[in-house]
């Protein structure tokens, strides 16, 4: 009964920062990978970043210079530090966890990020 839950969304001005958190609970083992997607209104869900349990990180080119993913394996929690936010970053941000390689993603409910003046 693994649950994935995001937190930390909100409204910020352009150039501001937010730190999103996502905890995967209900499993005694660390997830193989956790990461983030986002979905803006009228657009497809966009992959942003992934971090494996070995610390390997990958980023989408659109955010790799501004966003940083990190992970606390002891808490099975992943973070997304978002800096220099732009209005086009406005979206619902979704966390995922892959419990084992090849498994389907477990999704959180999403957290709204709004960047506007």
């Amino acid at each position: 009964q693994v649950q994935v839950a995001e937190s930390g969304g909100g409204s910020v001005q352009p150039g501001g920062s937010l730190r999103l958190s996502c905890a995967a609970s209900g499993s005694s083992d660390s997830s193989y990978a956790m990461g983030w997607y986002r979905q803006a209104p009228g657009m497809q869900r966009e992959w942003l970043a992934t971090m494996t349990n070995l610390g390997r990180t990958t980023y989408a080119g659109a955010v790799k210079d501004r966003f940083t993913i990190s992970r606390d394996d002891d808490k099975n929690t992943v973070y997304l530090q978002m800096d220099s936010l732009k209005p086009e970053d406005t979206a619902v941000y979704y966390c995922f966890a892959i419990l084992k390689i090849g498994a389907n993603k477990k999704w959180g409910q999403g957290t709204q990020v709004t960047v506007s003046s």
Side-chain angles (χ1 to χ4, degrees):
Q1 298 183 10
V2 174
Q3 301 290 326
V4 179
E6 309 95 334
S7 63
S11 182
V12 298
Q13 296 180 353
S17 298
L18 284 173
R19 189 190 191 213
L20 306 182
S21 300
C22 175
S25 61
S27 175
S28 60
D29 297 324
S30 298
S31 300
Y32 162 69
M34 297 181 69
W36 297 90
Y37 281 69
R38 69 184 180 188
Q39 188 167 23
M43 297 186 179
Q44 296 181 346
R45 190 166 296 188
E46 175 190 17
W47 170 76
L48 299 176
T50 300
M51 191 168 192
T52 72
N53 58 352
L54 298 179
R56 180 180 179 181
T57 60
T58 51
Y59 294 91
V63 303
K64 66 179 181 181
D65 57 332
R66 299 182 295 119
F67 293 7
T68 303
I69 189 170
S70 60
R71 181 169 177 161
D72 184 345
D73 286 332
D74 291 337
K75 298 180 179 180
N76 211 9
T77 298
V78 70
Y79 306 93
L80 188 67
Q81 177 68 42
M82 306 186 296
D83 298 319
S84 301
L85 284 163
K86 305 174 181 178
E88 52 263 43
D89 294 319
T90 297
V92 177
Y93 284 70
Y94 295 92
C95 175
F96 71 86
I98 302 173
L99 303 184
K100 299 179 180 179
I101 189 168
N104 291 331
K105 297 181 179 69
K106 303 292 186 180
W107 293 99
Q109 291 182 311
T111 184
Q112 177 71 47
V113 172
T114 302
V115 185
S116 67
S117 59

